[in-house]
C-alpha cells in the first residue's frame, strides 16, 4: 500500500463495507486477489490511488458526493489529474490524491447546481 494510507486497522466495519460498496459500484473492487498479482506496477498504483481517493472522500464532508459519482466521471477526472500531476516521487502521491478529490468535488458541485436550476 501507499505510505500514509494503510490505516485499515482504524476503519470500522461499517465504514469498510460502505467503501467497498462504492468501489464495487464504480467497478473498482477486486474479489480475485490473483488479478492484482498479474497487473503491472503502474496499473496497481492507479488502483491504489483510486481506492485511497474513495476512502478519503468517504471520511470527508463531501461523502454525500460518492452517491452521485459515476464510473465515467471518476475515471475522466482521474485521467485529467494524471495529465496535470505527474507522479515522479512519493511526495507527489498526496498532491495527486488531493487534486483528484478537489477536481471530483468541483465537478459534482457544478453538476448538482446545473440540475438544481433546470
Amino acid at each position: 500500500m501507499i505510505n500514509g494510507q494503510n490505516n485499515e486497522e482504524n476503519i470500522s466495519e461499517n465504514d469498510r463495507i460502505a467503501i467497498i460498496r462504492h468501489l464495487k459500484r464504480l467497478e473498482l473492487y477486486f474479489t480475485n486477489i490473483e488479478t492484482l498479482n498479474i497487473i503491472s506496477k503502474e496499473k496497481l498504483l492507479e488502483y491504489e490511488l483510486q481506492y485511497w481517493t474513495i476512502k478519503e472522500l468517504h471520511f470527508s464532508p463531501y461523502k454525500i458526493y460518492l452517491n452521485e459519482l459515476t464510473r465515467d466521471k471518476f475515471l475522466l477526472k482521474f485521467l485529467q489529474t494524471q495529465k496535470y500531476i505527474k507522479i515522479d516521487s512519493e511526495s507527489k502521491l498526496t498532491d495527486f490524491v488531493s487534486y483528484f478529490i478537489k477536481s471530483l468535488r468541483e465537478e459534482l458541485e457544478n453538476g448538482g447546481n446545473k440540475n438544481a436550476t433546470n
Side-chain angles (χ1 to χ4, degrees):
M1 268 300 149
I2 299 168
N3 282 345
Q5 188 226 297
N6 195 7
N7 305 13
E8 294 164 8
E9 65 276 0
N10 297 328
I11 297 176
S12 74
E13 186 63 17
N14 287 340
D15 287 328
R16 190 181 69 75
I17 290 168
I19 291 167
I20 289 172
R21 186 182 75 244
H22 290 298
L23 291 169
K24 284 181 178 180
R25 190 175 51 75
L26 296 170
E27 300 175 33
L28 297 171
Y29 187 75
F30 292 98
T31 54
N32 182 354
I33 301 301
E34 290 301 313
T35 304
L36 298 175
N37 293 331
I38 59 173
I39 62 176
S40 69
K41 287 183 181 188
E42 292 81 19
K43 194 68 174 169
L44 185 59
L45 177 61
E46 288 179 11
Y47 284 119
E48 287 179 340
L49 290 168
Q50 291 169 2
Y51 274 46
W52 185 8
T53 301
I54 295 298
K55 184 192 79 153
E56 291 299 318
L57 278 170
H58 177 77
F59 289 110
S60 78
Y62 309 108
K63 177 180 181 176
I64 190 73
Y65 291 133
L66 283 171
N67 295 325
E68 301 173 29
L69 191 58
T70 64
R71 178 176 170 79
D72 289 343
K73 281 183 190 175
F74 185 82
L75 293 178
L76 176 62
K77 288 298 173 186
F78 185 81
L79 292 172
Q80 289 172 339
T81 302
Q82 280 183 314
K83 287 184 178 183
Y84 185 73
I85 298 180
K86 300 295 182 203
I87 300 174
D88 52 9
S89 67
E90 199 166 312
S91 65
K92 291 283 191 174
L93 296 173
T94 302
D95 293 343
F96 183 94
V97 171
S98 296
Y99 184 82
F100 184 28
I101 289 171
K102 180 179 183 268
S103 297
L104 286 170
R105 183 185 51 112
E106 287 174 353
E107 171 73 21
L108 293 166
E109 284 175 349
N110 289 336
N113 288 340
K114 289 177 191 169
N115 292 336
T117 59
N118 289 339

